[in-house]
Amino acid sequence: MRLMLLPLTGLLIISGPIYAQEAVGAAMDGPERAFTGEDLFNIAGATDPQISPDGSKIAYVRISAEIMTDRSVPSIWLVDVRSGQHRPLVTGPGAHLSPRWSPDSTRLAYVSTDGGNGAQLHVLWLDGGTSAKVTSLPESPDSIEWSPNGQSIAYLMHVPGTPLALGTAPAKPEGAEWAKPLQIIDRVTYRNDDSGYVEAGFSHVFVVAATGGAPRQLTFDNFNDTGPISWAKNGNAIFFSANRNENWELAAFESELFSVNLESGALAPLTNRAGPDFAPAVSPDGRKIAYLGFDDVKRAYENNELYVMDLDGGNSRSLTASLDRSVNQFQWSGNGALLFSYDDRGDTKVARIDLSGKHTDLVSGLRSGAGLDRPYTGGSFAASDAGVIAYTGGSTTRPADVYVKASGTARQLTWLNENWLAEKTLGPVRKIPVTAPDGRSIDAWLVEPAGRKAGERLPLILEIHGGPNAAYGPAFSTDYQLYAAAGYAVLYTNPRGSTSYGEDFAGLIDRAYPGDDYFDLMAAVDAAVADGVADPDNLFVTGGSGGGILTAWIIGKTERFKAAASQKPVINWTSEALTADLVTFAPYYWFTGLPWENQEDYWARSPLSIVGNVKTPTLVVVGAEDFRTPVSESEQYYAALKLIGVDTALIKVPDASHGGFTSRPSQSAAKASAIIAWFDKYRTSAE
C-alpha cells in the first residue's frame, strides 16, 4: 500500500491523564456532559502492545498529553494477562516507546529520551525492576530487535555524512554574530514531512550487546537501510530491506531484501523485482523468511501481499494474492502459519494463514490509540509463542484499550478513559446505506448530536478522509464529537479509492482523481437527507489532505453547501508535484509523465482550474511546516478566492507538519473550534 497524501493525524496525538472534573469545565450544578476541547487533554490511548513470548505479560505504550507543555507523551505500562493487574513500567521525564521483549521474557528493551541526551536504547530487568541505558548514540535508534540468544540487540541508526560544500565563507571573528551558513541541497528528496530537511548521511544496521558497550556498525555505503529487521536463527546474520540501486533517488518505491553476515560483513541480496520488498521475518526454525511487498506497475495503489521464501531467497510465493486485501503487519505462528492484520470494509482484523494460503479470521475491531481526531482504520497486535494475541481495540465511543485473546471471547484488560468518559454524553454513530449512481455500494456513517429528537433535521457536515487511498471505520473521533456537541450531524464515508474494499475499488481513481468519487460523496449526502437527519438547506463540507482536495473540488462543482473548510489541500498539481516531499510520486504514479509533458491532465485535475465557479464561503487551513501538501498550495487557493470575491480566511497552524497537523492538543481543539465558528456564520435555523 502507498499513501501519497497522508491524513491529518500525527503519530502522537490527543491523549492524556485523567484530570479532576474541575479541570474540564465542571459547572456549579454538576460536570459538563458535552464533549469539549478541554477534553482532548484527558484522553489516553493504547498503542504498540507487545506480549511476552511466554504469554504472561503485555507491555504497551500509553499516549497521554501533558497539559503544561501541550505535548503528547508516550510511556510504557505493563498488564498481567491472567490477573489483569496494571501498572506503570517506564514513566517520568522524556518519551518512552518501542518496548520489545527478550526471547526468555525476562527483559524489556525500549527507546527513551530520559536523561536529555537524545533517544537511547535501554534494557529493563523485570525481576528486580532495574533499568540500564545500553547506548550513548548521536542519533535515535530505530527498529530494535533482540538476537535469538538474547545477548545482543540490533537496530537501525542514521549515520551522519558530509554535506556538499561549494566555496568558502570569510573567516568569522571570534565572538561575532553572523548569519547562518548557506543551506546547500543536492538530493532529489531533500525534506520529509514531520522530520524536516534531510541531513547528509544514511541509515545503517548496528548491533550492541544487551548489557551495553560499544555498538558495531554492520552495513555501510551511500544507501538507506530500512526496517523492520530480523535475525537468522543461529544469530550469524541479520535481514533487512534497502534500496541499493544506482538510481535509488528516483526509484523511490524500489527495495529488496538483504542479509548481512555478522562475521564477514558480506551483503547478499535475496529478492530482485520491480517493486518494494520489506519487513523480513525469519521463521522460528530458521528455514524460511516471510516478508511484505508487491509488483510495482506504476499505479497509485497496490495491496501489500504477504510472501514466504526459503532462507536463501528461493521459492518465493504470495500467501495472500487471493485475499484482495492489503496486509498491515504480521508475525510467525509456529513454523507452518503466520498471523497478520488487514483492513476489511473499514474494520481492522487479525487472521491466521497457513503456508497453503488458507486464512481464518481470529480478531476484529482493532483500533488505533493515536491519531484520534478522525476515525481512520488502524490498530496493532502481537502474539506470544503459544499464539495468545494482544491487540488494541476500541469503538465509536471509546479510544483504544488493550485486549487479549487466547481462545474463545477476547478480554479487555484496560479501561483507560472509562472514569471521565462515563460523565460525558457522546454523539451516537450508526451506519447508513448509500448507493452510488453507478450502483456501487458505498459505506457511510452518521454521527448525531446527543439527544436529537425524532424527526429533527440538523445541519450536516460532510467530512472526507485523506489519502485518498485510506479508509474510515466505526472508530472514536474527537473532531466528530466536537462537531456533534456544537449541534451538527457528521457524515463520513469511504468513497471509491478507499482501501479495505479490494484493489479494484481502490484503483477506480487511478489517474482519475479527483473524479467519480465526487458522485459517491454526493450520493452519501443525499442518503443522509433521505434518512431524515440532514437539513438540505444547512449542508457543510470539510476534509483534510485528500479530503481537502475533494472539498475544493466539490465547491467548484456545486453550490449546495453553505460553507466549506478545505484543510491542507492540493490546489495545483503542477506546483505540488515539484514542491512536495514525495517529489518522485505524482509524475509516475498519479499522472502519466512529468508536468511539462502532460500539463493538460495536471491542470484538468487541479481544483484551481475550477476555482472560478466557487461561490461557497471557504476557510483554508494548513500546517505552517507542511511538506506533503506544501503551504503554498493553501496560499494559492486563499489568494484565488480573495481575487474572485469569495468570503474566505486562511489559518496556518504554527510549527505543524502535514502528519502532525493536530499533534498538539490545544491546536487540535482550536482548529475544530475555528471550523465550527466558520460554519456557524452561515448556518441557518431549520423551519
Side-chain angles (χ1 to χ4, degrees):
M1 179 193 303
R2 293 191 297 267
L3 296 182
M4 177 194 173
L5 304 175
L6 295 178
L8 292 172
T9 53
L11 291 178
L12 304 178
I13 182 171
I14 314 176
S15 40
I18 299 172
Y19 293 98
Q21 202 53 253
E22 290 79 8
V24 293
M28 292 296 292
D29 57 350
E32 171 63 64
R33 297 199 64 86
F35 192 80
T36 69
E38 287 81 0
D39 289 326
L40 272 62
F41 285 98
N42 287 351
I43 301 174
T47 65
D48 196 14
Q50 297 292 319
I51 190 166
S52 57
D54 64 10
S56 65
K57 300 173 286 292
I58 299 169
Y60 75 94
V61 176
R62 179 189 291 192
I63 308 296
S64 57
E66 168 53 57
I67 195 168
M68 298 306 294
T69 61
D70 190 25
R71 290 189 180 277
S72 297
V73 178
S75 56
I76 301 173
W77 291 65
L78 190 70
V79 187
D80 184 86
V81 171
R82 183 184 295 273
S83 68
Q85 183 182 3
H86 187 204
R87 63 184 177 92
L89 196 62
V90 186
T91 59
H96 318 288
L97 63 161
S98 301
R100 295 297 182 266
W101 289 99
S102 63
D104 62 3
S105 302
T106 64
R107 292 162 293 163
L108 195 73
Y110 62 95
V111 175
S112 174
T113 61
D114 184 17
N117 294 319
Q120 301 296 335
L121 182 61
H122 294 244
V123 172
L124 173 68
W125 281 257
L126 270 295
D127 56 357
T130 302
S131 178
K133 184 178 72 171
V134 298
T135 61
S136 295
L137 304 174
E139 303 276 348
S140 299
D142 187 27
S143 300
I144 62 176
E145 186 72 18
W146 287 86
S147 64
N149 63 9
Q151 295 181 7
S152 301
I153 301 172
Y155 60 91
L156 294 170
M157 189 185 73
H158 178 263
V159 178
T162 302
L164 176 66
L166 295 173
T168 57
K172 184 175 72 172
E174 184 177 352
E177 295 184 4
W178 282 20
K180 293 180 180 180
L182 302 180
Q183 183 180 21
I184 301 175
I185 295 168
D186 64 346
R187 286 193 176 185
V188 174
T189 299
Y190 57 89
R191 57 185 182 177
N192 292 318
D193 194 67
D194 281 333
S195 58
Y197 281 80
V198 176
E199 297 182 0
F202 297 89
S203 177
H204 291 302
V205 180
F206 289 77
V207 64
V208 66
T211 53
R216 176 185 167 203
Q217 184 173 343
L218 297 179
T219 61
F220 301 86
D221 301 321
N222 294 333
F223 304 101
N224 283 310
D225 303 322
T226 60
I229 59 182
S230 185
W231 287 77
K233 176 69 174 177
N234 60 9
N236 67 354
I238 291 174
F239 300 90
F240 62 97
S241 61
N243 183 350
R244 288 178 164 254
N245 297 290
E246 182 179 354
N247 199 32
W248 64 271
E249 283 200 272
L250 294 176
F253 297 100
E254 180 67 31
S255 64
E256 309 296 346
L257 299 185
F258 290 83
S259 68
V260 57
N261 185 280
L262 267 68
E263 182 176 344
S264 67
L267 286 178
L270 302 176
T271 59
N272 182 22
R273 66 163 168 181
D277 293 317
F278 60 101
V282 177
S283 61
D285 64 7
R287 299 175 61 185
K288 296 186 180 299
I289 298 176
Y291 63 100
L292 299 178
F294 58 82
D295 293 317
D296 186 2
V297 293
K298 298 296 189 291
R299 294 190 299 187
Y301 177 84
E302 304 286 345
N303 285 334
N304 283 333
E305 296 184 28
L306 177 58
Y307 291 81
V308 170
M309 66 182 179
D310 295 339
L311 201 65
D312 62 1
N315 298 315
S316 174
R317 65 190 189 281
S318 173
L319 300 182
T320 59
S322 62
L323 176 62
D324 195 23
R325 295 292 188 270
S326 190
V327 177
N328 299 327
Q329 65 172 117
F330 71 92
Q331 72 173 78
W332 283 95
S333 179
N335 295 308
L338 297 104
L339 302 177
F340 70 98
S341 67
Y342 70 102
D343 293 345
D344 181 38
R345 303 191 67 84
D347 188 24
T348 303
K349 302 177 177 179
V350 176
R352 182 183 186 275
I353 191 166
D354 62 28
L355 297 187
S356 71
K358 180 181 178 181
H359 88 277
T360 304
D361 288 341
L362 302 177
V363 174
S364 61
L366 271 71
R367 300 289 183 266
S368 175
L372 300 178
D373 60 326
R374 295 189 290 162
Y376 282 101
T377 56
S380 55
F381 82 95
S384 70
D385 290 344
V388 179
I389 300 172
Y391 65 96
T392 54
S395 69
T396 58
T397 59
R398 293 294 184 272
D401 275 293
V402 178
Y403 288 72
V404 66
K405 181 174 181 180
S407 60
T409 305
R411 289 190 294 127
Q412 185 174 346
L413 295 179
T414 67
W415 287 263
L416 301 182
N417 301 282
E418 200 60 36
N419 287 343
W420 73 273
L421 274 179
E423 299 295 326
K424 294 290 176 177
T425 302
L426 300 178
V429 182
R430 60 185 173 89
K431 196 172 184 179
I432 64 170
V434 175
T435 302
D438 64 359
R440 296 180 190 274
S441 177
I442 304 297
D443 279 349
W445 294 264
L446 265 176
V447 186
E448 298 179 14
R452 171 184 173 255
K453 298 176 182 178
E456 181 184 10
R457 287 193 178 271
L458 300 167
L460 178 81
I461 298 174
L462 169 64
E463 204 283 330
I464 310 167
H465 72 61
N469 298 131
Y472 279 159
F476 183 79
S477 164
T478 57
D479 271 5
Y480 295 177
Q481 292 300 332
L482 291 171
Y483 296 154
Y488 291 86
V490 184
L491 171 68
Y492 65 100
T493 75
N494 284 333
R496 67 193 63 207
S498 299
T499 56
S500 78
Y501 298 89
E503 212 167 65
D504 288 345
F505 188 82
L508 288 172
I509 62 168
D510 183 50
R511 288 172 171 77
Y513 170 79
D516 288 346
D517 39 3
Y518 166 83
F519 299 106
D520 296 346
L521 294 166
M522 294 305 98
V525 173
D526 293 340
V529 172
D531 183 83
V533 171
D535 175 1
D537 297 321
N538 268 308
L539 301 177
F540 303 86
V541 60
T542 188
S545 192
I549 297 169
L550 281 166
T551 297
W553 189 256
I554 285 169
I555 60 177
K557 295 284 188 179
T558 180
E559 296 179 31
R560 72 186 299 189
F561 295 93
K562 299 291 290 291
S566 179
Q567 303 178 53
K568 55 183 185 181
V570 172
I571 296 303
N572 182 339
W573 281 112
T574 294
S575 56
E576 190 277 343
L578 299 175
T579 58
D581 60 344
L582 296 179
V583 69
T584 60
F585 190 91
Y588 305 112
Y589 294 91
W590 283 38
F591 294 89
T592 303
L594 297 161
W596 50 91
E597 298 170 338
N598 192 11
Q599 184 57 43
E600 183 177 342
D601 192 24
Y602 278 77
W603 181 245
R605 290 160 55 189
S606 296
L608 193 60
S609 70
I610 56 174
V611 70
N613 301 333
V614 176
K615 303 292 189 297
T616 306
T618 302
L619 183 67
V620 185
V621 189
V622 68
E625 301 298 325
D626 191 328
F627 295 151
R628 183 62 45 85
T629 55
V631 179
S632 58
E633 295 296 308
S634 292
E635 291 172 334
Q636 286 182 69
Y637 200 47
Y638 169 74
L641 293 172
K642 278 291 189 183
L643 289 172
I644 62 175
V646 173
D647 193 11
T648 185
L650 173 65
I651 293 176
K652 289 186 179 181
V653 182
D655 303 317
S657 65
H658 189 89
F661 187 59
T662 54
S663 61
R664 305 290 292 272
S666 70
Q667 290 180 337
S668 183
K671 185 266 301 181
S673 180
I675 291 172
I676 291 168
W678 184 259
F679 290 168
D680 282 349
K681 284 179 60 177
Y682 305 98
R683 172 178 169 178
T684 57
S685 299
E687 297 181 0

